Amino acid sequence: MNVSVFEKVANYLILGVFGLVILGPISVIVTLAFGPENASVAQEGRVFHWENFPTAWEVARFGQYMLTSVVVAVIVVVVAVLASILAGYALGTMKFRGATPIFYLFLLGIMVPTEAFIVPLYFDLRTVGLTNTVWGVAFPQIAMSIAFGTFWMRTYFRSSSQALIDAAKLDGAGSMRILWQVLVPIGRPAILTLVLLTFMWTWNEFLIPLVMSPNGSVRTAPLGLAFFQGQYTQGTALLAAGAIMVALPVVVLYIFLQRHFIQGMLEGAVRE
């Protein structure tokens, strides 16, 4: 189908407008991050002030917060993705009694907002001594990620080639061998997309670390940035530098996985 010149111009114009809307705030943050911290520094005449980043890193203790975020994110991603693959495989390829109610139970985990269960969950975890611990922050996010991950992987496994599965069974392969040696390798885009989404949601989570660690011993990077903002409301350069450092891990991971991410999203858009 031929596309007219007007449609091409309109498409590029719309994309340009949305690009400016998205890149505009980002450019402001980057400009502030490399700008002078105060008037006395501005008089030095330098264009880029790289020292804002190490200063913000040291003053706000981002090293400790980043390490906590990495530990929590690794735990959540590994456990949630592994459990989602197993649950999605069972619900997507096997027929057993109660499969549909179990799947709807997972969907319920997607629909219920965090604010609805965060308070009773805090008291439950406090009873078993998990508040102010990494596990107290990770466990709720694992449960939330498994709910979506099971839905995501079930969709992939339901659309997998049944002929390929039957051929593997004829060769004597069991369920676990079919999963890990046949379906998982060809489903790498879907799995890596789930990894990226889970990491992004875990890294940016604010409410759960705030509630589950009331004494601040398990403070993640976004939470540390919020407290840093409360302490240095006038230091816009340091705040902007801190915001860039907090967002950088997600951006870097997306850059490395963008090809698989786009492929996984496109496959998910056309599958039933």
Side-chain angles (χ1 to χ4, degrees):
M1 182 177 62
N2 295 327
V3 180
S4 64
V5 176
F6 174 78
E7 291 178 341
K8 290 183 179 180
V9 173
N11 289 336
Y12 283 115
L13 182 61
I14 294 174
L15 291 175
V17 171
F18 279 101
L20 291 176
V21 171
I22 296 174
L23 295 177
I26 297 178
S27 62
V28 172
I29 296 297
V30 173
T31 302
L32 291 174
F34 288 100
E37 181 180 353
N38 48 51
S40 60
V41 177
Q43 295 176 357
E44 297 179 4
R46 287 183 296 150
V47 178
F48 297 103
H49 295 267
W50 303 92
E51 71 278 2
N52 292 337
F53 291 90
T55 301
W57 181 275
E58 180 180 358
V59 173
R61 296 188 298 173
F62 277 118
Q64 175 185 348
Y65 302 148
M66 287 284 192
L67 179 60
T68 302
S69 289
V70 169
V71 172
V72 172
V74 169
I75 293 174
V76 173
V77 169
V78 171
V79 177
V81 171
L82 180 61
S84 297
I85 291 174
L86 296 174
Y89 176 63
L91 294 173
T93 62
M94 303 178 184
K95 295 181 180 180
F96 55 91
R97 181 178 299 177
T100 301
I102 291 175
F103 175 66
Y104 288 146
L105 183 63
F106 279 104
L107 289 183
L108 184 64
I110 301 176
M111 295 182 288
V112 177
T114 307
E115 294 80 4
F117 61 82
I118 190 67
V119 174
L121 182 61
Y122 167 76
F123 287 106
D124 291 339
L125 293 181
R126 190 182 67 173
T127 301
V128 297
L130 289 179
T131 54
N132 297 312
T133 65
V134 171
W135 295 107
V137 176
F139 279 152
Q141 298 183 76
I142 290 175
M144 295 167 59
S145 300
I146 289 177
F148 171 80
T150 300
F151 168 76
W152 180 267
M153 295 309 303
R154 175 182 178 270
T155 303
Y156 160 69
F157 287 122
R158 282 175 63 90
S159 61
S160 300
S161 174
Q162 186 62 39
L164 190 63
I165 297 176
D166 293 338
K169 290 181 179 179
L170 290 176
D171 290 338
S175 297
M176 288 294 100
R177 185 177 177 185
I178 293 174
L179 171 62
W180 297 112
Q181 297 186 11
V182 178
L183 297 180
V184 168
I186 64 178
R188 185 171 58 177
I191 296 174
L192 291 180
T193 300
L194 179 60
V195 169
L196 180 58
L197 292 175
T198 304
F199 178 84
M200 180 182 65
W201 292 334
T202 305
W203 187 271
N204 293 330
E205 179 61 41
F206 181 84
L207 182 60
I208 291 178
L210 177 65
V211 176
M212 297 304 169
S213 181
N215 65 3
S217 59
V218 187
R219 186 173 292 177
T220 57
L223 192 58
L225 180 63
F227 280 90
F228 183 53
Q229 181 181 4
Q231 297 173 359
Y232 297 90
T233 55
Q234 301 300 325
T236 55
L238 296 182
L239 289 176
I244 291 178
M245 289 188 291
V246 171
L248 192 60
V250 177
V251 175
V252 172
L253 185 62
Y254 175 77
I255 291 174
F256 281 104
L257 299 181
Q258 61 175 331
R259 180 171 61 88
H260 300 286
F261 177 76
I262 295 173
Q263 183 179 354
M265 294 299 291
L266 291 177
E267 289 181 357
V270 299
R271 288 179 171 170
E272 298 180 357

